[in-house]
Amino acid sequence: MDDLSLQRIQISGPTLASILQSFSSSGGDVDGLLFGRVTHINQSTFSDDDPTAAATFSSPSSSSSAAVSSESPTLVATITSFFCSHSTSTFYDSTGALDVPSIRRLLSSSPDHQNHYLIGWLSGRRKTSLRPSLRESSVTFSLSSKIQFSFQVENSLKSYTLPPCIFLLLTTPLQDQLIHTHEYKAYQFRLSSESFEPKTLDVVNIGPAFRGHYGAFCPNSPFPAFPCELKGLSSMPEDARGLIESSKSTERVSNDQMELNMCAEEFDVSRLSELMGPGAAAYRGEIEDLYKKMLAKLDGLARLVEKSSARVLEQENHNMKLRHKVTGLE
């Protein structure tokens, strides 16, 4: 079992979001297992310089440093999935000693273990400092010392094996804040020095800024499984009522759109492009005629409202006279 240094640790955006959601939705502190792989990255040796000139002017120190860098492989760990227990001390005791049967039981019940390796574990605690505790150090040391959980480095010409040496720590700020709600940091535990080494945690997303992560692309994992609830039979009438209301709303919107189209007389938004170009004058004339027709319709509607208001006032006066006549006031 080798004790090699990792260059960085990377995780996909949905996986990190799922970890934070599991931590924030739990009633207290949590811990869990991290699954993934460690890949050997081949460094590109292509250069625009002349290799013979570079060899001529290269110093012995540069050649020796190149030999050292070639001996130490560039390793990148990828967290593809996780298991969160929504509690603490699920696979270890209060002193940090591992419960190996509990870990094997968790691995057998987790479907992600079939495709990826156990590469480390995570711990989430609230309103504490962002550094490993003594118990977390003991748990990580015990997990890294277990040879039965070691795994092979992928895409490597030499055979390297690594223990589950990654530790992901999550905390919340000491004081409640509205924007900054979580803090996290990734570590690699080195058996040679029995200490934690902070590592860069790259969040791999999709976009131009992340194209460098897909130079040697291979799929990480599907989206994390989110808990879902099956609705009972009692919710079926509500769903049916919602579908009926949605269909009625769609029908009402379509009818309103048809009435607007009748008023616009086929002058839709797509024809606005005709305002530019040689035929703009004729199109403006058509729009002015349309506005004149609309103003005429509005004028007729206003006169109709005026007449109806006069009839309503006349009817109210007539009703008042009838009430006075019935009560004997007239």
Side-chain angles (χ1 to χ4, degrees):
M1 188 167 57
D2 301 292
D3 186 23
L4 302 175
S5 176
L6 299 174
Q7 183 185 26
R8 66 179 183 273
I9 302 173
Q10 61 185 16
I11 186 173
S12 65
T15 304
L16 179 59
S18 182
I19 292 176
L20 294 177
Q21 191 273 338
S22 300
F23 176 40
S24 60
S25 62
S26 62
D29 297 343
V30 299
D31 60 23
L33 302 176
L34 297 175
F35 300 98
R37 62 178 180 270
V38 175
T39 308
H40 175 251
I41 304 299
N42 295 320
Q43 298 290 341
S44 177
T45 57
F46 295 101
S47 175
D48 294 334
D49 300 328
D50 187 3
T52 58
T56 303
F57 292 101
S58 62
S59 61
S61 60
S62 62
S63 60
S64 61
S65 62
V68 171
S69 61
S70 62
E71 291 178 358
S72 58
T74 303
L75 303 180
V76 176
T78 304
I79 302 174
T80 57
S81 56
F82 69 99
F83 168 78
C84 186
S85 60
H86 298 282
S87 62
T88 57
S89 302
T90 54
F91 52 90
Y92 54 89
D93 56 16
S94 58
T95 62
L98 290 183
D99 185 1
V100 177
S102 298
I103 295 180
R104 294 191 180 278
R105 185 168 59 253
L106 293 175
L107 294 179
S108 61
S109 62
S110 177
D112 300 315
H113 178 60
Q114 307 299 328
N115 301 323
H116 300 95
Y117 305 108
L118 173 65
I119 62 175
W121 72 294
L122 64 91
S123 177
R125 37 188 168 85
R126 287 173 165 79
K127 295 185 177 181
T128 56
S129 58
L130 193 63
R131 60 174 180 266
S133 63
L134 292 177
R135 184 172 62 178
E136 291 167 346
S137 302
S138 178
V139 172
T140 311
F141 174 77
S142 301
L143 187 61
S144 301
S145 303
K146 299 299 181 182
I147 303 178
Q148 60 267 36
F149 297 131
S150 60
F151 54 91
Q152 291 286 334
V153 176
E154 298 182 359
N155 196 28
S156 177
L157 298 178
K158 296 182 180 180
S159 178
Y160 297 112
T161 58
L162 286 178
C165 55
I166 295 177
F167 175 61
L168 180 62
L169 178 60
L170 302 98
T171 62
T172 59
L174 298 177
Q175 297 180 355
D176 295 334
Q177 301 181 16
L178 296 178
I179 299 177
H180 185 66
T181 58
H182 294 87
E183 296 177 348
Y184 55 86
K185 198 169 186 178
Y187 298 89
Q188 179 191 7
F189 188 82
R190 301 297 299 275
L191 283 174
S192 57
S193 59
E194 297 185 2
S195 61
F196 287 97
E197 288 185 0
K199 296 296 179 180
T200 302
L201 184 63
D202 291 342
V203 181
V204 183
N205 290 313
I206 298 176
F210 300 92
R211 288 174 181 170
H213 293 279
Y214 299 98
F217 177 78
C218 59
N220 286 342
S221 65
F223 281 99
F226 287 95
C228 59
E229 298 180 359
L230 296 176
K231 295 183 178 181
L233 297 177
S234 59
S235 62
M236 294 179 62
E238 297 180 359
D239 296 342
R241 191 182 306 111
L243 292 175
I244 294 175
E245 293 178 357
S246 177
S247 61
K248 289 183 179 179
S249 176
T250 304
E251 184 179 359
R252 183 170 60 253
V253 169
S254 62
N255 292 335
D256 295 341
Q257 187 65 40
M258 289 176 60
E259 294 180 1
L260 288 176
N261 292 337
M262 292 176 61
C263 296
E265 297 182 1
E266 298 182 356
F267 280 83
D268 53 357
V269 179
S270 60
R271 294 193 60 188
L272 292 178
S273 59
E274 299 180 10
L275 286 173
M276 305 294 294
Y283 185 66
R284 282 197 298 268
E286 294 181 12
I287 293 182
E288 290 176 357
D289 293 339
L290 175 64
Y291 285 162
K292 289 179 182 179
K293 293 179 182 179
M294 288 184 175
L295 290 175
K297 291 180 180 180
L298 290 175
D299 184 64
L301 181 60
R303 295 181 182 278
L304 181 61
V305 171
E306 184 180 359
K307 291 180 181 179
S308 61
S309 298
R311 291 179 181 177
V312 170
L313 180 60
E314 181 181 357
Q315 185 66 35
E316 288 181 353
N317 293 333
H318 180 67
N319 293 339
M320 186 179 298
K321 290 180 181 180
L322 290 178
R323 287 196 297 270
H324 290 172
K325 186 176 181 180
V326 171
T327 56
L329 298 177
E330 185 177 355

